[in-house]
mmCIF file of all heavy atoms in Angstrom:
data_model
loop_
_atom_site.group_PDB
_atom_site.id
_atom_site.type_symbol
_atom_site.label_atom_id
_atom_site.label_comp_id
_atom_site.label_asym_id
_atom_site.label_seq_id
_atom_site.Cartn_x
_atom_site.Cartn_y
_atom_site.Cartn_z
ATOM 1 N N TRP L 213 14.454 -6.161 2.148
ATOM 2 C CA TRP L 213 14.803 -7.338 1.394
ATOM 3 C C TRP L 213 13.566 -7.979 0.749
ATOM 4 O O TRP L 213 13.601 -8.461 -0.393
ATOM 5 C CB TRP L 213 15.548 -8.352 2.261
ATOM 6 C CG TRP L 213 15.729 -9.683 1.626
ATOM 7 C CD1 TRP L 213 16.562 -9.981 0.608
ATOM 8 C CD2 TRP L 213 15.033 -10.897 1.954
ATOM 9 N NE1 TRP L 213 16.432 -11.347 0.261
ATOM 10 C CE2 TRP L 213 15.529 -11.908 1.076
ATOM 11 C CE3 TRP L 213 14.097 -11.228 2.957
ATOM 12 C CZ2 TRP L 213 15.062 -13.204 1.187
ATOM 13 C CZ3 TRP L 213 13.658 -12.545 3.019
ATOM 14 C CH2 TRP L 213 14.138 -13.540 2.125
ATOM 15 N N GLY L 214 12.453 -7.963 1.476
ATOM 16 C CA GLY L 214 11.235 -8.519 0.965
ATOM 17 C C GLY L 214 10.765 -7.781 -0.291
ATOM 18 O O GLY L 214 10.318 -8.413 -1.267
ATOM 19 N N LEU L 215 10.859 -6.491 -0.293
ATOM 20 C CA LEU L 215 10.480 -5.706 -1.478
ATOM 21 C C LEU L 215 11.379 -6.030 -2.682
ATOM 22 O O LEU L 215 10.904 -6.215 -3.783
ATOM 23 C CB LEU L 215 10.567 -4.190 -1.177
ATOM 24 C CG LEU L 215 9.479 -3.660 -0.192
ATOM 25 C CD1 LEU L 215 9.803 -2.200 0.162
ATOM 26 C CD2 LEU L 215 8.105 -3.812 -0.780
ATOM 27 N N VAL L 216 12.655 -6.114 -2.441
ATOM 28 C CA VAL L 216 13.625 -6.424 -3.512
ATOM 29 C C VAL L 216 13.292 -7.844 -4.070
ATOM 30 O O VAL L 216 13.263 -8.057 -5.278
ATOM 31 C CB VAL L 216 15.062 -6.371 -3.018
ATOM 32 C CG1 VAL L 216 16.037 -6.875 -4.066
ATOM 33 C CG2 VAL L 216 15.429 -4.946 -2.687
ATOM 34 N N THR L 217 13.062 -8.770 -3.153
ATOM 35 C CA THR L 217 12.779 -10.157 -3.582
ATOM 36 C C THR L 217 11.443 -10.249 -4.321
ATOM 37 O O THR L 217 11.319 -10.919 -5.325
ATOM 38 C CB THR L 217 12.706 -11.070 -2.342
ATOM 39 O OG1 THR L 217 13.950 -11.038 -1.682
ATOM 40 C CG2 THR L 217 12.392 -12.532 -2.726
ATOM 41 N N PHE L 218 10.455 -9.497 -3.841
ATOM 42 C CA PHE L 218 9.169 -9.493 -4.498
ATOM 43 C C PHE L 218 9.263 -8.955 -5.915
ATOM 44 O O PHE L 218 8.660 -9.486 -6.860
ATOM 45 C CB PHE L 218 8.174 -8.655 -3.669
ATOM 46 C CG PHE L 218 6.743 -9.095 -3.831
ATOM 47 C CD1 PHE L 218 6.318 -10.313 -3.277
ATOM 48 C CD2 PHE L 218 5.801 -8.277 -4.433
ATOM 49 C CE1 PHE L 218 4.994 -10.701 -3.370
ATOM 50 C CE2 PHE L 218 4.501 -8.714 -4.533
ATOM 51 C CZ PHE L 218 4.070 -9.907 -4.017
ATOM 52 N N ARG L 219 10.052 -7.862 -6.080
ATOM 53 C CA ARG L 219 10.244 -7.303 -7.457
ATOM 54 C C ARG L 219 10.970 -8.306 -8.332
ATOM 55 O O ARG L 219 10.634 -8.494 -9.515
ATOM 56 C CB ARG L 219 11.052 -6.005 -7.328
ATOM 57 C CG ARG L 219 11.454 -5.387 -8.723
ATOM 58 C CD ARG L 219 10.250 -4.993 -9.488
ATOM 59 N NE ARG L 219 10.594 -4.366 -10.768
ATOM 60 C CZ ARG L 219 10.760 -5.017 -11.906
ATOM 61 N NH1 ARG L 219 10.646 -6.352 -11.920
ATOM 62 N NH2 ARG L 219 11.032 -4.363 -13.011
ATOM 63 N N HIS L 220 11.994 -8.984 -7.801
ATOM 64 C CA HIS L 220 12.800 -9.888 -8.591
ATOM 65 C C HIS L 220 12.052 -11.163 -8.964
ATOM 66 O O HIS L 220 12.098 -11.651 -10.093
ATOM 67 C CB HIS L 220 14.084 -10.248 -7.841
ATOM 68 C CG HIS L 220 14.935 -11.247 -8.520
ATOM 69 N ND1 HIS L 220 15.645 -10.949 -9.695
ATOM 70 C CD2 HIS L 220 15.191 -12.555 -8.246
ATOM 71 C CE1 HIS L 220 16.319 -12.018 -10.091
ATOM 72 N NE2 HIS L 220 16.047 -13.020 -9.251
ATOM 73 N N GLU L 221 11.350 -11.736 -7.964
ATOM 74 C CA GLU L 221 10.693 -13.058 -8.135
ATOM 75 C C GLU L 221 9.369 -12.942 -8.878
ATOM 76 O O GLU L 221 9.006 -13.817 -9.672
ATOM 77 C CB GLU L 221 10.498 -13.733 -6.792
ATOM 78 C CG GLU L 221 11.791 -14.070 -6.060
ATOM 79 C CD GLU L 221 12.613 -15.145 -6.764
ATOM 80 O OE1 GLU L 221 11.983 -15.994 -7.465
ATOM 81 O OE2 GLU L 221 13.832 -15.128 -6.605
ATOM 82 N N PHE L 222 8.565 -11.925 -8.569
ATOM 83 C CA PHE L 222 7.197 -11.862 -9.038
ATOM 84 C C PHE L 222 6.957 -10.807 -10.084
ATOM 85 O O PHE L 222 5.874 -10.741 -10.673
ATOM 86 C CB PHE L 222 6.248 -11.673 -7.816
ATOM 87 C CG PHE L 222 6.383 -12.739 -6.781
ATOM 88 C CD1 PHE L 222 6.378 -12.413 -5.444
ATOM 89 C CD2 PHE L 222 6.585 -14.063 -7.116
ATOM 90 C CE1 PHE L 222 6.494 -13.381 -4.475
ATOM 91 C CE2 PHE L 222 6.751 -15.038 -6.145
ATOM 92 C CZ PHE L 222 6.693 -14.702 -4.820
ATOM 93 N N GLY L 223 7.909 -9.881 -10.245
ATOM 94 C CA GLY L 223 7.809 -8.964 -11.375
ATOM 95 C C GLY L 223 7.197 -7.613 -11.012
ATOM 96 O O GLY L 223 6.739 -7.335 -9.885
ATOM 97 N N PHE L 224 7.198 -6.743 -12.023
ATOM 98 C CA PHE L 224 6.784 -5.343 -11.890
ATOM 99 C C PHE L 224 5.343 -5.177 -11.435
ATOM 100 O O PHE L 224 5.056 -4.431 -10.537
ATOM 101 C CB PHE L 224 7.021 -4.634 -13.210
ATOM 102 C CG PHE L 224 6.364 -3.295 -13.286
ATOM 103 C CD1 PHE L 224 6.885 -2.203 -12.589
ATOM 104 C CD2 PHE L 224 5.221 -3.106 -14.067
ATOM 105 C CE1 PHE L 224 6.294 -0.972 -12.684
ATOM 106 C CE2 PHE L 224 4.630 -1.845 -14.145
ATOM 107 C CZ PHE L 224 5.149 -0.787 -13.432
ATOM 108 N N PHE L 225 4.412 -5.911 -12.071
ATOM 109 C CA PHE L 225 3.016 -5.654 -11.811
ATOM 110 C C PHE L 225 2.584 -6.054 -10.427
ATOM 111 O O PHE L 225 1.721 -5.422 -9.826
ATOM 112 C CB PHE L 225 2.143 -6.375 -12.865
ATOM 113 C CG PHE L 225 2.225 -5.713 -14.225
ATOM 114 C CD1 PHE L 225 2.958 -6.263 -15.262
ATOM 115 C CD2 PHE L 225 1.565 -4.508 -14.454
ATOM 116 C CE1 PHE L 225 3.050 -5.662 -16.503
ATOM 117 C CE2 PHE L 225 1.660 -3.878 -15.669
ATOM 118 C CZ PHE L 225 2.404 -4.449 -16.699
ATOM 119 N N TRP L 226 3.156 -7.131 -9.885
ATOM 120 C CA TRP L 226 2.796 -7.517 -8.516
ATOM 121 C C TRP L 226 3.359 -6.546 -7.497
ATOM 122 O O TRP L 226 2.704 -6.260 -6.476
ATOM 123 C CB TRP L 226 3.299 -8.949 -8.233
ATOM 124 C CG TRP L 226 2.382 -9.936 -8.812
ATOM 125 C CD1 TRP L 226 2.549 -10.630 -9.989
ATOM 126 C CD2 TRP L 226 1.131 -10.366 -8.285
ATOM 127 N NE1 TRP L 226 1.467 -11.445 -10.227
ATOM 128 C CE2 TRP L 226 0.583 -11.293 -9.211
ATOM 129 C CE3 TRP L 226 0.391 -10.042 -7.129
ATOM 130 C CZ2 TRP L 226 -0.645 -11.920 -8.980
ATOM 131 C CZ3 TRP L 226 -0.844 -10.646 -6.949
ATOM 132 C CH2 TRP L 226 -1.360 -11.573 -7.838
ATOM 133 N N LEU L 227 4.523 -5.987 -7.730
ATOM 134 C CA LEU L 227 5.017 -4.972 -6.786
ATOM 135 C C LEU L 227 4.205 -3.696 -6.933
ATOM 136 O O LEU L 227 3.936 -3.011 -5.936
ATOM 137 C CB LEU L 227 6.506 -4.687 -7.108
ATOM 138 C CG LEU L 227 7.173 -3.721 -6.118
ATOM 139 C CD1 LEU L 227 7.084 -4.237 -4.674
ATOM 140 C CD2 LEU L 227 8.615 -3.461 -6.504
ATOM 141 N N LEU L 228 3.786 -3.416 -8.179
ATOM 142 C CA LEU L 228 2.903 -2.267 -8.396
ATOM 143 C C LEU L 228 1.585 -2.454 -7.608
ATOM 144 O O LEU L 228 1.090 -1.474 -7.042
ATOM 145 C CB LEU L 228 2.621 -2.109 -9.868
ATOM 146 C CG LEU L 228 1.774 -0.885 -10.315
ATOM 147 C CD1 LEU L 228 2.539 0.387 -10.020
ATOM 148 C CD2 LEU L 228 1.415 -0.975 -11.759
ATOM 149 N N TRP L 229 1.063 -3.650 -7.626
ATOM 150 C CA TRP L 229 -0.178 -3.923 -6.838
ATOM 151 C C TRP L 229 0.067 -3.635 -5.349
ATOM 152 O O TRP L 229 -0.715 -2.987 -4.673
ATOM 153 C CB TRP L 229 -0.606 -5.358 -7.047
ATOM 154 C CG TRP L 229 -1.545 -5.854 -5.982
ATOM 155 C CD1 TRP L 229 -2.854 -5.594 -5.816
ATOM 156 C CD2 TRP L 229 -1.187 -6.765 -4.895
ATOM 157 N NE1 TRP L 229 -3.378 -6.218 -4.737
ATOM 158 C CE2 TRP L 229 -2.374 -6.959 -4.144
ATOM 159 C CE3 TRP L 229 -0.028 -7.351 -4.467
ATOM 160 C CZ2 TRP L 229 -2.417 -7.749 -2.995
ATOM 161 C CZ3 TRP L 229 -0.050 -8.169 -3.340
ATOM 162 C CH2 TRP L 229 -1.236 -8.371 -2.615
ATOM 163 N N LEU L 230 1.189 -4.185 -4.815
ATOM 164 C CA LEU L 230 1.513 -3.994 -3.402
ATOM 165 C C LEU L 230 1.636 -2.511 -3.041
ATOM 166 O O LEU L 230 1.010 -2.030 -2.089
ATOM 167 C CB LEU L 230 2.804 -4.748 -3.043
ATOM 168 C CG LEU L 230 3.217 -4.788 -1.578
ATOM 169 C CD1 LEU L 230 4.026 -6.107 -1.328
ATOM 170 C CD2 LEU L 230 4.034 -3.611 -1.144
ATOM 171 N N ILE L 231 2.381 -1.769 -3.833
ATOM 172 C CA ILE L 231 2.582 -0.342 -3.583
ATOM 173 C C ILE L 231 1.231 0.368 -3.765
ATOM 174 O O ILE L 231 0.934 1.299 -3.017
ATOM 175 C CB ILE L 231 3.651 0.228 -4.476
ATOM 176 C CG1 ILE L 231 5.010 -0.415 -4.145
ATOM 177 C CG2 ILE L 231 3.722 1.764 -4.358
ATOM 178 C CD1 ILE L 231 6.138 -0.009 -5.067
ATOM 179 N N GLY L 232 0.477 -0.007 -4.798
ATOM 180 C CA GLY L 232 -0.808 0.635 -5.030
ATOM 181 C C GLY L 232 -1.742 0.494 -3.866
ATOM 182 O O GLY L 232 -2.425 1.461 -3.475
ATOM 183 N N VAL L 233 -1.806 -0.678 -3.259
ATOM 184 C CA VAL L 233 -2.658 -0.876 -2.086
ATOM 185 C C VAL L 233 -2.234 0.035 -0.916
ATOM 186 O O VAL L 233 -3.013 0.684 -0.241
ATOM 187 C CB VAL L 233 -2.618 -2.353 -1.626
ATOM 188 C CG1 VAL L 233 -3.259 -2.520 -0.241
ATOM 189 C CG2 VAL L 233 -3.362 -3.248 -2.637
ATOM 190 N N VAL L 234 -0.917 0.132 -0.717
ATOM 191 C CA VAL L 234 -0.396 0.959 0.368
ATOM 192 C C VAL L 234 -0.722 2.430 0.133
ATOM 193 O O VAL L 234 -1.134 3.128 1.042
ATOM 194 C CB VAL L 234 1.119 0.761 0.552
ATOM 195 C CG1 VAL L 234 1.727 1.725 1.560
ATOM 196 C CG2 VAL L 234 1.435 -0.677 0.973
ATOM 197 N N VAL L 235 -0.498 2.874 -1.084
ATOM 198 C CA VAL L 235 -0.715 4.327 -1.425
ATOM 199 C C VAL L 235 -2.226 4.656 -1.313
ATOM 200 O O VAL L 235 -2.576 5.663 -0.670
ATOM 201 C CB VAL L 235 -0.210 4.628 -2.851
ATOM 202 C CG1 VAL L 235 -0.649 6.025 -3.229
ATOM 203 C CG2 VAL L 235 1.321 4.542 -2.857
ATOM 204 N N ILE L 236 -3.054 3.803 -1.864
ATOM 205 C CA ILE L 236 -4.523 4.077 -1.810
ATOM 206 C C ILE L 236 -5.022 4.057 -0.345
ATOM 207 O O ILE L 236 -5.886 4.830 0.037
ATOM 208 C CB ILE L 236 -5.284 3.118 -2.687
ATOM 209 C CG1 ILE L 236 -4.940 3.390 -4.176
ATOM 210 C CG2 ILE L 236 -6.793 3.265 -2.445
ATOM 211 C CD1 ILE L 236 -5.326 4.784 -4.653
ATOM 212 N N THR L 237 -4.507 3.103 0.400
ATOM 213 C CA THR L 237 -4.875 3.030 1.816
ATOM 214 C C THR L 237 -4.589 4.369 2.528
ATOM 215 O O THR L 237 -5.349 4.884 3.300
ATOM 216 C CB THR L 237 -4.155 1.868 2.506
ATOM 217 O OG1 THR L 237 -4.600 0.635 1.949
ATOM 218 C CG2 THR L 237 -4.466 1.838 3.985
ATOM 219 N N ASP L 238 -3.361 4.884 2.259
ATOM 220 C CA ASP L 238 -2.920 6.112 2.901
ATOM 221 C C ASP L 238 -3.778 7.289 2.413
ATOM 222 O O ASP L 238 -4.236 8.119 3.233
ATOM 223 C CB ASP L 238 -1.460 6.354 2.621
ATOM 224 C CG ASP L 238 -0.915 7.622 3.297
ATOM 225 O OD1 ASP L 238 -0.986 7.677 4.551
ATOM 226 O OD2 ASP L 238 -0.509 8.532 2.583
ATOM 227 N N VAL L 239 -3.966 7.397 1.116
ATOM 228 C CA VAL L 239 -4.711 8.546 0.566
ATOM 229 C C VAL L 239 -6.169 8.500 0.995
ATOM 230 O O VAL L 239 -6.732 9.539 1.415
ATOM 231 C CB VAL L 239 -4.621 8.538 -0.985
ATOM 232 C CG1 VAL L 239 -5.545 9.567 -1.605
ATOM 233 C CG2 VAL L 239 -3.185 8.799 -1.440
ATOM 234 N N ALA L 240 -6.833 7.319 0.907
ATOM 235 C CA ALA L 240 -8.208 7.215 1.298
ATOM 236 C C ALA L 240 -8.346 7.511 2.779
ATOM 237 O O ALA L 240 -9.323 8.168 3.203
ATOM 238 C CB ALA L 240 -8.737 5.819 0.964
ATOM 239 N N GLY L 241 -7.408 7.020 3.582
ATOM 240 C CA GLY L 241 -7.492 7.259 5.013
ATOM 241 C C GLY L 241 -7.326 8.720 5.364
ATOM 242 O O GLY L 241 -8.017 9.272 6.243
ATOM 243 N N TYR L 242 -6.410 9.402 4.649
ATOM 244 C CA TYR L 242 -6.157 10.821 4.881
ATOM 245 C C TYR L 242 -7.408 11.646 4.654
ATOM 246 O O TYR L 242 -7.815 12.455 5.473
ATOM 247 C CB TYR L 242 -5.037 11.307 3.991
ATOM 248 C CG TYR L 242 -4.713 12.738 4.077
ATOM 249 C CD1 TYR L 242 -3.857 13.279 5.062
ATOM 250 C CD2 TYR L 242 -5.280 13.680 3.199
ATOM 251 C CE1 TYR L 242 -3.576 14.620 5.174
ATOM 252 C CE2 TYR L 242 -4.995 15.008 3.288
ATOM 253 C CZ TYR L 242 -4.157 15.492 4.281
ATOM 254 O OH TYR L 242 -3.877 16.841 4.352
ATOM 255 N N PHE L 243 -8.012 11.464 3.467
ATOM 256 C CA PHE L 243 -9.169 12.299 3.120
ATOM 257 C C PHE L 243 -10.430 11.921 3.922
ATOM 258 O O PHE L 243 -11.198 12.773 4.324
ATOM 259 C CB PHE L 243 -9.447 12.206 1.613
ATOM 260 C CG PHE L 243 -8.466 13.041 0.787
ATOM 261 C CD1 PHE L 243 -7.387 12.476 0.147
ATOM 262 C CD2 PHE L 243 -8.616 14.389 0.691
ATOM 263 C CE1 PHE L 243 -6.489 13.232 -0.589
ATOM 264 C CE2 PHE L 243 -7.747 15.196 -0.009
ATOM 265 C CZ PHE L 243 -6.656 14.600 -0.685
ATOM 266 N N ALA L 244 -10.663 10.600 4.066
ATOM 267 C CA ALA L 244 -11.854 10.196 4.842
ATOM 268 C C ALA L 244 -11.733 10.625 6.292
ATOM 269 O O ALA L 244 -12.713 11.087 6.896
ATOM 270 C CB ALA L 244 -12.009 8.679 4.776
ATOM 271 N N GLY L 245 -10.531 10.564 6.845
ATOM 272 C CA GLY L 245 -10.319 10.975 8.216
ATOM 273 C C GLY L 245 -10.635 12.438 8.439
ATOM 274 O O GLY L 245 -11.167 12.850 9.478
ATOM 275 N N ARG L 246 -10.276 13.256 7.458
ATOM 276 C CA ARG L 246 -10.480 14.688 7.612
ATOM 277 C C ARG L 246 -11.871 15.116 7.144
ATOM 278 O O ARG L 246 -12.440 16.092 7.694
ATOM 279 C CB ARG L 246 -9.403 15.465 6.781
ATOM 280 C CG ARG L 246 -8.063 15.470 7.534
ATOM 281 C CD ARG L 246 -6.915 15.770 6.604
ATOM 282 N NE ARG L 246 -5.674 15.919 7.397
ATOM 283 C CZ ARG L 246 -5.044 14.884 7.976
ATOM 284 N NH1 ARG L 246 -5.514 13.694 7.887
ATOM 285 N NH2 ARG L 246 -3.888 15.139 8.641
ATOM 286 N N LEU L 247 -12.466 14.454 6.201
ATOM 287 C CA LEU L 247 -13.784 14.815 5.738
ATOM 288 C C LEU L 247 -14.893 14.244 6.660
ATOM 289 O O LEU L 247 -15.884 14.906 6.903
ATOM 290 C CB LEU L 247 -14.031 14.306 4.323
ATOM 291 C CG LEU L 247 -13.255 15.033 3.221
ATOM 292 C CD1 LEU L 247 -13.426 14.315 1.919
ATOM 293 C CD2 LEU L 247 -13.725 16.467 3.085
ATOM 294 N N ILE L 248 -14.691 13.032 7.133
ATOM 295 C CA ILE L 248 -15.721 12.349 7.941
ATOM 296 C C ILE L 248 -15.384 12.433 9.419
ATOM 297 O O ILE L 248 -16.286 12.731 10.264
ATOM 298 C CB ILE L 248 -15.867 10.888 7.501
ATOM 299 C CG1 ILE L 248 -16.204 10.832 6.024
ATOM 300 C CG2 ILE L 248 -16.921 10.199 8.372
ATOM 301 C CD1 ILE L 248 -16.215 9.443 5.470
ATOM 302 N N GLY L 249 -14.152 12.188 9.780
ATOM 303 C CA GLY L 249 -13.746 12.204 11.200
ATOM 304 C C GLY L 249 -14.417 11.062 11.955
ATOM 305 O O GLY L 249 -14.499 9.955 11.460
ATOM 306 N N GLY L 250 -14.840 11.323 13.169
ATOM 307 C CA GLY L 250 -15.491 10.298 13.979
ATOM 308 C C GLY L 250 -14.580 9.664 14.985
ATOM 309 O O GLY L 250 -13.519 10.184 15.307
ATOM 310 N N PRO L 251 -14.972 8.527 15.505
ATOM 311 C CA PRO L 251 -14.243 7.841 16.554
ATOM 312 C C PRO L 251 -12.780 7.497 16.150
ATOM 313 O O PRO L 251 -12.536 7.230 14.960
ATOM 314 C CB PRO L 251 -15.014 6.572 16.818
ATOM 315 C CG PRO L 251 -16.362 6.850 16.281
ATOM 316 C CD PRO L 251 -16.214 7.799 15.154
ATOM 317 N N LYS L 252 -11.891 7.557 17.093
ATOM 318 C CA LYS L 252 -10.495 7.271 16.841
ATOM 319 C C LYS L 252 -10.294 5.758 16.795
ATOM 320 O O LYS L 252 -10.879 4.984 17.533
ATOM 321 C CB LYS L 252 -9.617 7.896 17.901
ATOM 322 C CG LYS L 252 -9.765 9.398 18.031
ATOM 323 C CD LYS L 252 -9.423 10.111 16.735
ATOM 324 C CE LYS L 252 -9.530 11.634 16.885
ATOM 325 N NZ LYS L 252 -9.153 12.373 15.663
ATOM 326 N N PHE L 253 -9.359 5.344 15.959
ATOM 327 C CA PHE L 253 -9.074 3.932 15.787
ATOM 328 C C PHE L 253 -8.292 3.383 16.984
ATOM 329 O O PHE L 253 -8.640 2.342 17.534
ATOM 330 C CB PHE L 253 -8.263 3.703 14.493
ATOM 331 C CG PHE L 253 -7.856 2.292 14.241
ATOM 332 C CD1 PHE L 253 -8.792 1.365 13.838
ATOM 333 C CD2 PHE L 253 -6.539 1.869 14.422
ATOM 334 C CE1 PHE L 253 -8.438 0.047 13.609
ATOM 335 C CE2 PHE L 253 -6.160 0.579 14.192
ATOM 336 C CZ PHE L 253 -7.115 -0.373 13.799
ATOM 337 N N TRP L 254 -7.225 4.114 17.390
ATOM 338 C CA TRP L 254 -6.436 3.656 18.552
ATOM 339 C C TRP L 254 -5.852 4.923 19.167
ATOM 340 O O TRP L 254 -4.673 5.265 18.980
ATOM 341 C CB TRP L 254 -5.336 2.713 18.048
ATOM 342 C CG TRP L 254 -4.711 1.873 19.148
ATOM 343 C CD1 TRP L 254 -4.739 2.083 20.443
ATOM 344 C CD2 TRP L 254 -4.007 0.667 18.957
ATOM 345 N NE1 TRP L 254 -4.066 1.095 21.151
ATOM 346 C CE2 TRP L 254 -3.609 0.184 20.202
ATOM 347 C CE3 TRP L 254 -3.632 -0.073 17.811
ATOM 348 C CZ2 TRP L 254 -2.848 -0.958 20.392
ATOM 349 C CZ3 TRP L 254 -2.902 -1.227 17.950
ATOM 350 C CH2 TRP L 254 -2.493 -1.646 19.261
#
């Protein structure tokens, strides 16, 4: 419901920002975790 409300109330570009942050976080984490490795987060 929050995603639907965010799209309706704040528009396309703000939802694009939210999704963009989530996607980049996942992609950057995937590649950095495999290329660099190191201590585990949890």
Side-chain angles (χ1 to χ4, degrees):
W213 169 71
L215 290 173
V216 172
T217 301
F218 209 68
R219 174 65 178 89
H220 176 71
E221 297 292 332
F222 304 138
F224 166 74
F225 287 104
W226 280 99
L227 185 60
L228 184 65
W229 161 76
L230 187 152
I231 295 174
V233 167
V234 173
V235 171
I236 292 300
T237 296
D238 182 62
V239 172
Y242 177 85
F243 283 101
R246 282 160 175 73
L247 289 171
I248 302 173
K252 302 299 182 180
F253 178 74
W254 199 340

